[in-house]
Amino acid sequence: MSVRIIADSACDLPTSVMEEHGITRLSLTVHLDGQDYKDGETIQPKEVYDAMRNGKAPKTSQVSPQSFKELFEHFAREGQDCLYLAFSSELSGTYQTAKMMQQEVQETYPDFNLQVVDTHCASLGYGLVVLRAAALAKKGKSLDEIKELSTYHFEHMEHIFTVDDLEYLKRGGRVSKAAAFFGTMLKIKPLLHVENGQLIPLEKIRGAKKVLKRMTEVMEERGVDLGDQPIAISHGDDLERAEQLAEMIRDQFGTKDIHIHQVGASVGAHSGPGTIALFFLNAPYK
């Protein structure tokens, strides 16, 4: 490939998919039971969800500076152009660390053509951006061309999601204690979205059955050319509901290309089991 695409594990693309598309992955760290694990390498999402169901509270940390430095230096020595598409800087410090390591490595290798971009995306919304970039790289597009089109995709990527229990987001500081308490007490299912890289509450819906229908309604309100673009659904160990949502979307919009994968360990440690997330473009697919 003319350009090497780099992503971190918060894109929630399985290892097999990343290998198939020639994407290089850097893993965030999951801290559980006093041990450190590499997301997608030494710990899998199911282990994290089972631990959370048993009352455990896993923590996460960003990709280490050393991991960035070693990888960037490796490609610099090879003279390989690189584009690192990063997890939202509003949800992790990974992007800022990458920028620091970029500057350090490019001081040693001034000809190293590396771009580091904050996608403002998470989970498979981020993953769809990465897959588009990888497809362009396979076609031999230049770094600037891939960066430009990737920017278009992440600027128009919608994230619509719900969680099974607001307690998990509360632990991670994503919602207030009061919101989590009342949401649980009243059996309210929150519908959230991502705005400028941040998690923003959208609506409160009473009852789990109504949530999926409302997600397709929001998709219809915001989406463009829904039958002709790839969309993605990620889930927190709830494949049945993810497939139910996919079937609703196929029936309503005729969408053919639907990616369904688990929310990875690093994102799932905050969103928890039972999460359902939907990702699509609010502009024409390019």
Side-chain angles (χ1 to χ4, degrees), residues 12 91 230:
D12 289 349
L91 302 174

Side-chain angles (χ1 to χ4, degrees), residues 265-286:
S266 59
V267 176
H270 297 282
S271 59
T275 298
I276 298 290
L278 172 62
F279 310 94
F280 57 92
L281 291 175
N282 59 24
Y285 183 77
K286 292 184 179 180

Side-chain angles (χ1 to χ4, degrees), residues 197-226:
Q198 295 180 306
L199 306 186
I200 307 293
L202 192 61
E203 298 174 9
K204 293 178 181 178
I205 299 171
R206 194 181 300 275
K209 291 182 179 179
K210 296 179 182 177
V211 173
L212 298 187
K213 184 175 186 298
R214 183 59 186 143
M215 291 175 83
T216 63
E217 290 172 352
V218 173
M219 186 180 189
E220 184 173 25
E221 292 164 6
R222 298 187 178 189
V224 174
D225 298 334
L226 293 170

Side-chain angles (χ1 to χ4, degrees), residues 18 105 129 152 163 267 276 282:
M18 298 190 85
V105 171
V129 174
Y152 172 86
V163 295
V267 176
I276 298 290
N282 59 24

Side-chain angles (χ1 to χ4, degrees), residues 227-255:
D228 298 321
Q229 61 163 290
I231 71 154
I233 299 168
S234 59
H235 64 93
D237 199 24
D238 195 348
L239 179 59
E240 183 178 348
R241 277 213 306 160
E243 290 182 336
Q244 182 183 348
L245 178 59
E247 194 59 32
M248 292 167 69
I249 290 167
R250 289 188 192 100
D251 289 345
Q252 188 167 348
F253 306 113
T255 309

Side-chain angles (χ1 to χ4, degrees), residues 33-46:
D33 290 333
Q35 299 290 321
D36 289 348
Y37 301 93
K38 293 294 184 185
D39 178 15
E41 295 180 35
T42 58
I43 193 167
Q44 298 303 318
K46 177 77 165 127

